[in-house]
Amino acid sequence: MEHFVVSARKYRPQTFNDVVGQTAITTTLLNAIENNHLAQALLFTGPRGVGKTSCARILAKMINSDGTETGEEDYAFNIFELDAASNNSVDDIRSLTDQVRIPPQVGKYKVYIIDEVHMLSQAAFNAFLKTLEEPPKHCVFILATTEKHKIIPTILSRCQIFDFKRITVKDAKAYLKYIAKEQGVTADDDALHIIAQKADGAMRDALSIFDRVVSFSGKELTRQAVTENLNVLDYETYFTSTDHMLENKIPELLLQFNETLSKGFDGHHYVAGLASHFRDLLVCQNPVTIELLEVGDQTKAKYLEQSKKASQAFLLQGISLANETDLKFKSSKNQRLLVELCLMQLASITFDGEKKNNSRFIIPPTYFKRVGITPLQIKKPSEVKTQQPNKVLEQKIETVTKTISKPVETAVTSKPKIVLNSNTKRTSGLSLSSIRAKKDHEIRQMDVVIDEEDLPRETFTQDELTEAWNTFISIIEAEGKMNLVAILSIDKPTLKDTTIHLTFPNSTNKVEVERQSFDLLQYLRKTLSNYDISLAIEVNEEMQKKFAYTSEEKYVKLKEKNPNIELLRRTFDLDL
């Protein structure tokens, strides 16, 4: 039986042209070799599986070749690979620096590749500094790491840094297509796309997943086989879910979610994928952003078709609801109910078109027409324009009062009427409570015009204000509003013209007084006969200090209230 070699090793890049998705770095290294501008200390940093070690090996081979060697020749004696995860002590670095002084027997350079260099200890880093800064001419150091932030700055300053990026889904899919062709595997475009997405930017992971899926499904890779083997939710799940939402089919949506859970998928994964699906539909609605959709051609056609059914408002609100559920999922005690509630809200966004604007609370006229009610139109009386508004109000109230003052029997037999104007008449009910209710209703419907010029504006003094202020505090204290009593007692009101100035130590007190300002101003205006009174509240955090007493200050305060405390302290020889 022939030994199986995994694709990640079998198809490891042998030249810079074989490296996937790192064109900028490979071009820079090639130019540095050709122009003899290669630094003696290089740092390759980036995510896992993007080609750091492969580029280091290719570089080590290229700088030792002069074009006369055969294809089978290698320079294993000139390339030293050190795993810093297991060789991270000072003694390991000292052994390395001792080897550096010996020139190579074959080739030009000795290349030291130190992988996972961030695992070196602090002492090992310090022991490595001098050698890294001034290595021999025949020595090149290539450091590789996935966590650059863990390397001390003195090491970083001595290296030429190359940042490897994540491999894009497009590049990974193209390379997987090449590998599949080399191995004689027929693969769907969507299947390779799912593998590239699952790899999350790492080519080594993509090749490992490819090997696993090929072992599962043989020489034909289909989208269904890949999703089943990788345990990922298929696009069809989200397409069906969105169709149910747009058609307001809540039962079918909940049943589909239950089926998804029964297959072993997590609700959190489902909601996160749903938000991504809405995002993909949103970018399909604008031709400029279609290129942001990273899916296969067949799936892209489905996205374009469904994006025409969903409105932009639905997708934006859907993304917001799904994202909110995603954030609350881990802290929720009933996670399934949380997701189901989100799905029901999503399926109700376009229900009967009423949830598109839920800020209207006024009953529309169409409702009354539908139930057979004809609303009455009330017009303002035109014959009372010359009368004062207050007299008009008194006349209306007097008319209503006379009507109500009749005995109940008379009201029942004669059906008294409340006249608002000469054109519209409304009959009263058959009970005293209904008559009183109509009276209150008619009074509220009248147009009351208050002339602000007639309001009193009498002058008052600071002492009168203080007396009224203390009286109001006593009133609310009797009502049990102790919190407001304490706040109003913090500062004494200061009068400037008709504005009452107050200062509080924090904004909480200010907010509480502003909430109760209506009752306060109403009392003060009525008591002092001046309706120009207003409040001006400021916050001064320095006032907090006068409440933070030391032990000595507390003792002085207590002694002022009761001098016998000093006698008590002396008698028992007490300390503060």
Side-chain angles (χ1 to χ4, degrees):
M1 182 177 178
E2 186 180 355
H3 178 65
F4 174 72
V5 181
V6 296
S7 298
R9 288 183 56 194
K10 184 177 180 180
Y11 298 100
R12 180 185 286 273
Q14 300 300 317
T15 64
F16 281 134
N17 292 331
D18 298 334
V19 179
V20 179
Q22 308 295 344
T23 308
I25 293 177
T26 55
T27 303
T28 303
L29 293 175
L30 281 172
N31 292 335
I33 295 172
E34 292 177 0
N35 300 324
N36 197 23
H37 280 178
L38 187 67
Q40 289 189 302
L42 308 175
L43 176 63
F44 292 171
T45 178
R48 68 185 189 281
V50 294
K52 299 186 296 296
T53 306
S54 297
C55 285
R57 292 177 179 176
I58 296 170
L59 178 64
K61 184 182 291 186
M62 288 190 67
I63 61 178
N64 277 303
S65 62
D66 56 2
T68 61
E69 66 279 349
T70 62
E72 298 178 355
E73 185 176 359
D74 60 11
Y75 298 90
F77 293 104
N78 288 9
I79 302 173
F80 302 89
E81 290 195 31
L82 179 68
D83 182 17
S86 56
N87 302 279
N88 56 4
S89 64
V90 177
D91 293 336
D92 296 321
I93 297 300
R94 286 175 179 170
S95 176
L96 176 65
T97 55
D98 291 340
Q99 297 177 21
V100 166
R101 293 194 295 267
I102 303 173
Q105 300 300 316
V106 180
K108 299 179 181 179
Y109 296 96
K110 293 178 74 173
V111 182
Y112 292 86
I113 301 174
I114 305 178
D115 204 6
E116 303 297 335
V117 69
H118 66 275
M119 300 291 287
L120 290 177
S121 63
Q122 184 76 20
F125 271 129
N126 293 329
F128 192 37
L129 283 175
K130 189 63 178 176
T131 304
L132 190 65
E133 184 176 10
E134 298 178 356
K137 294 182 179 180
H138 60 264
C139 182
V140 175
F141 289 101
I142 303 177
L143 314 180
T145 179
T146 57
E147 302 183 44
K148 183 176 69 173
H149 61 278
K150 291 186 178 180
I151 301 177
I152 60 176
T154 49
I155 293 289
L156 295 176
S157 65
R158 288 166 168 80
C159 298
Q160 193 174 81
I161 301 174
F162 292 87
D163 288 309
F164 285 69
K165 65 180 181 179
R166 291 183 181 273
I167 298 174
T168 63
V169 175
K170 184 178 179 181
D171 291 339
K173 185 174 71 172
Y175 193 67
L176 287 173
K177 192 172 183 179
Y178 163 75
I179 299 297
K181 185 178 180 181
E182 288 289 321
Q183 295 188 2
V185 176
T186 304
D188 291 346
D189 190 62
D190 288 341
L192 296 179
H193 186 87
I194 293 173
I195 295 175
Q197 277 188 324
K198 187 73 173 178
D200 193 24
M203 196 67 239
R204 183 172 60 232
D205 292 356
L207 293 173
S208 300
I209 295 171
F210 177 80
D211 288 342
R212 191 175 102 196
V213 176
V214 169
S215 300
F216 172 75
S217 59
K219 294 295 183 179
E220 289 191 7
L221 289 185
T222 61
R223 187 188 64 187
Q224 184 178 0
V226 171
T227 55
E228 183 178 351
N229 182 259
L230 298 183
N231 197 31
V232 296
L233 278 171
D234 194 8
Y235 297 122
E236 292 296 335
T237 302
Y238 295 117
F239 280 122
T240 307
S241 298
T242 306
D243 286 337
H244 289 331
M245 294 172 191
L246 294 173
E247 296 172 6
N248 311 120
K249 295 180 178 179
I250 295 179
E252 290 83 351
L253 184 61
L254 296 180
L255 288 174
Q256 189 205 23
F257 176 62
N258 180 68
E259 183 181 354
T260 303
L261 294 179
S262 64
K263 292 180 181 179
F265 294 104
D266 185 30
H268 197 183
H269 179 61
Y270 175 82
V271 170
L274 192 62
S276 299
H277 182 74
F278 289 152
R279 175 260 182 195
D280 292 338
L281 288 175
L282 192 61
V283 300
C284 283
Q285 292 187 339
N286 194 324
V288 179
T289 56
I290 288 181
E291 61 182 16
L292 299 177
L293 187 65
E294 295 182 346
V295 295
D297 295 334
Q298 298 177 357
T299 310
K300 181 181 290 186
K302 294 183 179 180
Y303 271 105
L304 290 172
E305 181 181 356
Q306 192 172 67
S307 65
K308 297 177 182 177
K309 302 178 184 178
S311 64
Q312 185 177 7
F314 168 80
L315 294 176
L316 289 174
Q317 191 170 352
I319 293 174
S320 177
L321 287 172
N323 185 57
E324 184 179 353
T325 305
D326 185 13
L327 296 175
K328 294 180 179 178
F329 190 87
K330 289 186 178 180
S331 60
S332 175
K333 294 183 179 180
N334 193 340
Q335 295 176 339
R336 174 166 181 162
L337 179 61
L338 178 68
V339 178
E340 289 178 340
L341 180 60
C342 173
L343 294 178
M344 288 186 284
Q345 289 176 332
L346 289 171
S348 303
I349 292 176
T350 58
F351 181 73
D352 199 21
E354 293 183 4
K355 285 212 171 184
K356 292 180 180 178
N357 184 8
N358 56 2
S359 61
R360 294 180 57 187
F361 296 96
I362 301 176
I363 302 175
T366 54
Y367 169 78
F368 296 102
K369 293 182 179 179
R370 188 165 60 248
V371 298
I373 298 177
T374 303
L376 297 175
Q377 296 183 355
I378 301 176
K379 298 181 180 179
K380 293 183 180 181
S382 57
E383 63 273 13
V384 293
K385 290 182 179 179
T386 57
Q387 299 183 17
Q388 293 295 328
N390 290 339
K391 292 183 179 180
V392 175
L393 177 60
E394 292 175 0
Q395 291 177 1
K396 292 183 178 182
I397 295 175
E398 183 179 358
T399 303
V400 174
T401 307
K402 289 180 180 180
T403 304
I404 296 174
S405 61
K406 295 181 180 181
V408 178
E409 295 80 1
T410 306
V412 172
T413 56
S414 60
K415 296 183 180 180
K417 301 176 181 178
I418 302 175
V419 180
L420 293 181
N421 55 41
S422 58
N423 297 327
T424 306
K425 295 183 179 181
R426 299 177 63 185
T427 58
S428 65
L430 301 179
S431 64
L432 184 60
S433 59
S434 65
I435 295 174
R436 290 176 178 171
K438 285 191 175 184
K439 170 204 170 185
D440 296 337
H441 176 72
E442 296 296 341
I443 292 175
R444 286 195 299 268
Q445 295 298 322
M446 297 176 185
D447 298 322
V448 179
V449 180
I450 300 176
D451 192 354
E452 295 184 357
E453 296 181 357
D454 296 336
L455 294 176
R457 290 179 174 82
E458 298 181 4
T459 57
F460 57 95
T461 62
Q462 176 69 42
D463 295 336
E464 291 174 341
L465 171 61
T466 304
E467 182 180 357
W469 187 272
N470 294 333
T471 304
F472 180 77
I473 293 177
S474 302
I475 293 173
I476 61 175
E477 184 178 7
E479 295 175 356
K481 300 179 180 179
M482 306 308 297
N483 184 31
L484 184 58
V485 170
I487 294 174
L488 294 180
S489 302
I490 292 176
D491 188 30
K492 293 181 180 180
T494 304
L495 180 64
K496 293 182 180 179
D497 294 331
T498 57
T499 304
I500 301 174
H501 292 266
L502 296 171
T503 304
F504 293 117
N506 55 64
S507 58
T508 304
N509 296 335
K510 177 183 177 181
V511 171
E512 182 64 24
V513 173
E514 288 176 346
R515 288 178 59 248
Q516 305 290 340
S517 61
F518 178 79
D519 295 335
L520 174 61
L521 289 175
Q522 187 179 26
Y523 177 81
L524 294 177
R525 289 169 178 172
K526 184 177 180 181
T527 304
L528 300 173
S529 297
N530 192 317
Y531 280 78
D532 286 342
I533 296 177
S534 60
L535 284 178
I537 303 175
E538 297 179 357
V539 176
N540 184 8
E541 296 182 357
E542 294 295 327
M543 294 181 62
Q544 293 275 21
K545 296 181 180 179
K546 70 179 184 181
F547 297 105
Y549 295 116
T550 62
S551 299
E552 291 77 6
E553 291 173 338
K554 292 179 182 178
Y555 177 73
V556 172
K557 287 287 184 181
L558 292 173
K559 191 168 67 172
E560 290 177 357
K561 295 183 178 180
N562 190 352
N564 293 328
I565 290 181
E566 177 65 21
L567 177 62
L568 178 67
R569 188 184 69 81
R570 292 178 182 176
T571 303
F572 294 98
D573 193 20
L574 300 176
D575 294 331
L576 296 179

